[in-house]
C-alpha cells in the first residue's frame, strides 16, 4: 500500500474493524475476566489492556499505523519526542559504553548526550554529520549506538543514512535516526538500514499544534527492549493525544507534500532577495548536500532557514514584522511559524555550541504551514522591506 492508503487503513485490527473512526480509551487500568487472564496480562510483553503505562488500545492502534509508516515491525508511543529519544538511548547503553552522535542535534538531544549520559559513565563523541568518514573515525570498541538526525535543526544539514548504517552494521552497533524534520513522507531511514527511527510526533505526525507525543519504531525485539525501559521511565502518552495523533496522521501525506512544495518555492524566492544573505534548504541546488538530499529524500520538507543581511537585530526585527508567520517555536503544523534562532538557543547553548551548530546570529528558521505560498511570500517580502 502507498502511504496515502496506509494512513487511512493500517491502524484497523480485527477487534475494532467496525469502528470507522477510532475509539478513545481513556482508562488507566483494565479488568481481567479471570485470575488466570490477569496473571497472563501482568506478565505479558506490551499488554494492550492491563495498565496504560504498559499499553492501551488507543496507543496500540496508533502504534500499528506508525510502524507501517516507517516500514518497521513495531512502534512505541511516548508522551513526547524527548521521552521517545531519551528512553530509546537509555535502553541501549550502560556505564562504560560509548555513543557517536552529531555536533548539531535537537537541543534536548544535545543535552541528553552531553550532560546526562556522561553522568552515568557513558562516553559521547560528536562529529560533523556532513562528513561520513568522521563517524567511522569516532567509533571505538565500546561504541554501542550511533545517533543521527537528518535534516538537522536549524541549518538543515544532512547525514548520509546508508553510509552510517553500513558502518554500524559491520560492527554490530545500533543506529537511531531522528526523522522528525523529513517525516516518513519524505524519508524512511529503515530503507537505508537504520535500526531505530524516532520522531517528535508533536510536529508533522500530529500536524495541528494540539498534542505532544513521540514515537520510536524498529524491530519487534528492539521495541520490546525499549518498552521495558519505558515502563520504568514512564513517559507515557495520554490516550487522548494518541487519539488526536491518529486523526492528524490521516492527512500526513497531503500536508507534507504541500508544505514541502511551498517551502521550496519560498526558499527560491528568499535566495533571490537582496536582503537575504544565505538560504539553507536541501531542495536548493546551492545546498552543499543537494545530491545526497535527492538520493535519500522524496521532497525536502517544510522547514528552511535563512540569514538576514542586516545581522542579529535585523533578524529579530524581521520575525517581529511578519504577520502571517507566528513567532513561535515548533514546526510541522498547519500554521507557519518563524523564530530568530539565536534568541531560542542562547539560553541553553553556550556561544561555542551555537557556533559549532552553525547558527549565525542572523539566522531565521521558518516552519512552513498550509497557507497559500503567494500569501506567505507577500508576508516575507513586506517584512524584509521593513528591515
Ligand atoms: C521537537 C523535536 C524534538 C523533541 O520533541 P518533543 O515532542 O518536543 O519532546 C526532537 N527532535 C526534533 C528534531 C524536534 O524537532
Amino acid at each position: 500500500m502507498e502511504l496515502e492508503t496506509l494512513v487511512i487503513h493500517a491502524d484497523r485490527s480485527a477487534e475494532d474493524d467496525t469502528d470507522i473512526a477510532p475509539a478513545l480509551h481513556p482508562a488507566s487500568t483494565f479488568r481481567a475476566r479471570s485470575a488466570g487472564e490477569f496473571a497472563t496480562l501482568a506478565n505479558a510483553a506490551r499488554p494492550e489492556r492491563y495498565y496504560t503505562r504498559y499499553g492501551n488500545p488507543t496507543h496500540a492502534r496508533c502504534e500499528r499505523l506508525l510502524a507501517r509508516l516507517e516500514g518497521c515491525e513495531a512502534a512505541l508511543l511516548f508522551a513526547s519526542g524527548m521521552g521517545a529519544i531519551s528512553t530509546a538511548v537509555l535502553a541501549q547503553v550502560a556505564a562504560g559504553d560509548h555513543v557517536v552522535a552529531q555536533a548539531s542535534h535537537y537541543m534536548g538531544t544535545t543535552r541528553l548526550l552531553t550532560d546526562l549520559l556522561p553522568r552515568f559513565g557513558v562516553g559521547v563523541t560528536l562529529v560533523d554529520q556532513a562528513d561520513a568518514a568522521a563517524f567511522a573515525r569516532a567509533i571505538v570498541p565500546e561504541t554501542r549506538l550511533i545517533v543521527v538526525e537528518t535534516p538537522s535543526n536549524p541549518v538543515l544539514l544532512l547525514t548520509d543514512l546508508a553510509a552510517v548504517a553500513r558502518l554500524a552494521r559491520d560492527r554490530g552497533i545500533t543506529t537511531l535516526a531522528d526523522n522528525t524534520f523529513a517525516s516518513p513522507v519524505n524519508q524512511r531511514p529503515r530503507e537505508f538500514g537504520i535500526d531505530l527511527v524516532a520522531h517528535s510526533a508533536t510536529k508533522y505526525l500530529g500536524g495541528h499544534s494540539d498534542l505532544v507525543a513521540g514515537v520510536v519504531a524498529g524491530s519487534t525485539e528492539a521495541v520490546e527492549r525499549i518498552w521495558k525501559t519505558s515502563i520504568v521511565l514512564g513517559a507515557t502518552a495520554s490516550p487522548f493525544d494518541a487519539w488526536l495523533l491518529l486523526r492528524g496522521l490521516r492527512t500526513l501525506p497531503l500536508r507534507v507534500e504541500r508544505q514541502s512544495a511551498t517551502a521550496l518555492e519560498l526558499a527560491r524566492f528568499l535566495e533571490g532577495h537582496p536582503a537575504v544573505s544565505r538560504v539553507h534548504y536541501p531542495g536548493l541546488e546551492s545546498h552543499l548536500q543537494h545530491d545526497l538530499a535527492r538520493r535519500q529524500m522524496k521532497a525536502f520538507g517544510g522547514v528552511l532557514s535563512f540569514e538576514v543581511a542586516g545581522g542579529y537585530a535585523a533578524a529579530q526585527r524581521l520575525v517581529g514584522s511578519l504577520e502571517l508567520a507566528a513567532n513561535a517555536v515548533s514546526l510541522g503544523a498547519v500554521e507557519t511559524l518563524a523564530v530568530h534562532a539565536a534568541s531560542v538557543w542562547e539560553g541553553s547553548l553556550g556561544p561555542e555550541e551555537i557556533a559549532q551548530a552553525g547558527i549565525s546570529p542572523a539566522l531565521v528558521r521558518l516552519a512552513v504551514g498550509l497557507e497559500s505560498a503567494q500569501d506567505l511570500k507577500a508576508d516575507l517580502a513586506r517584512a524584509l522591506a521593513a528591515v
Side-chain angles (χ1 to χ4, degrees):
M1 273 192 273
E2 298 291 328
L3 241 50
E4 291 81 352
T5 314
L6 278 181
V7 293
I8 311 298
H9 294 287
D11 52 299
R12 266 191 281 133
S13 72
E15 300 93 77
D16 47 33
D17 199 33
T18 60
D19 295 347
I20 293 292
L24 168 59
H25 295 269
S28 58
T29 190
F30 298 83
R31 180 191 337 181
R33 291 183 188 86
S34 68
E37 187 186 56
F38 181 85
T40 305
L41 283 170
N43 295 290
R46 307 196 59 192
E48 272 180 36
R49 288 166 180 269
Y50 172 61
Y51 183 65
T52 284
R53 179 157 43 78
Y54 286 58
N56 172 285
T58 309
H59 290 175
R61 194 162 174 167
C62 198
E63 285 160 348
R64 274 197 294 280
L65 176 48
L66 290 164
R68 291 290 295 281
L69 281 178
E70 282 295 357
C72 294
E73 281 179 347
L76 183 58
L77 200 60
F78 289 88
S80 68
M82 280 320 302
I85 293 165
S86 300
T87 307
V89 168
L90 292 172
Q92 208 61 44
V93 295
D97 287 344
H98 176 254
V99 177
V100 177
Q102 304 177 171
S104 178
H105 270 293
Y106 181 74
M107 193 201 303
T109 306
T110 298
R111 291 277 76 97
L112 168 72
L113 295 166
T114 60
D115 294 353
L116 206 64
L117 290 189
R119 280 170 41 201
F120 298 96
V122 177
V124 177
T125 304
L126 303 182
V127 303
D128 171 5
Q129 74 193 89
D131 177 7
F135 286 92
R137 285 195 301 274
I139 292 171
V140 294
E142 293 75 26
T143 305
R144 286 287 311 279
L145 177 68
I146 302 180
V147 183
V148 298
E149 182 179 329
T150 178
S152 67
N153 189 32
V155 286
L156 292 305
L157 287 172
L158 305 193
T159 310
D160 187 333
L161 292 170
V164 170
R166 217 175 304 119
L167 270 180
R169 188 152 354 90
D170 292 348
R171 296 164 173 84
I173 299 168
T174 301
T175 46
L176 166 67
D178 182 335
N179 202 31
T180 301
F181 268 44
S183 93
V185 177
N186 285 330
Q187 170 177 284
R188 305 216 298 172
R190 195 73 200 89
E191 288 169 1
F192 299 97
I194 296 292
D195 299 309
L196 296 169
V197 184
H199 280 275
S200 168
T202 313
K203 316 292 170 55
Y204 289 102
L205 301 182
H208 295 76
S209 301
D210 55 6
L211 66 89
V212 178
V215 63
V216 177
S219 70
T220 303
E221 187 197 355
V223 171
E224 233 168 68
R225 180 152 23 88
I226 295 166
W227 172 80
K228 283 186 186 135
T229 302
S230 82
I231 60 174
V232 175
L233 295 180
T236 310
S238 143
F240 182 55
D241 280 354
W243 186 85
L244 281 175
L245 180 52
L246 269 167
R247 187 180 170 114
L249 284 168
R250 306 288 186 223
T251 54
L252 175 72
L254 282 177
R255 287 187 281 105
V256 172
E257 277 162 32
R258 173 62 72 86
Q259 284 162 319
S260 301
T262 303
L264 180 58
E265 192 174 333
L266 295 180
R268 289 196 172 125
F269 163 72
L270 289 165
E271 197 168 42
H273 198 287
V276 173
S277 55
R278 189 163 173 203
V279 181
H280 304 268
Y281 187 66
L284 292 175
E285 284 75 16
S286 61
H287 191 286
L288 287 174
Q289 298 168 293
H290 181 61
D291 288 342
L292 173 60
R294 291 180 47 175
R295 271 206 309 282
Q296 73 183 18
M297 301 181 79
K298 201 166 144 202
F300 309 102
V303 181
L304 59 98
S305 61
F306 59 97
E307 293 166 29
V308 182
Y312 187 104
Q316 242 182 7
R317 261 204 320 281
L318 174 91
V319 168
S321 323
L322 290 166
E323 279 172 8
L324 285 177
N327 187 187
V329 291
S330 201
L331 55 110
V334 297
E335 57 284 315
T336 296
L337 306 177
V339 289
H340 172 229
S343 301
V344 178
W345 276 277
E346 64 200 359
S348 48
L349 297 183
E352 273 159 49
E353 281 177 308
I354 291 188
Q356 198 181 26
I359 302 172
S360 138
L363 191 74
V364 172
R365 185 187 75 189
L366 196 67
V368 176
L370 289 176
E371 301 92 337
S372 118
Q374 286 316 312
D375 290 339
L376 291 173
K377 215 184 282 181
D379 194 25
L380 281 166
R382 207 190 27 73
L384 282 165
V387 302

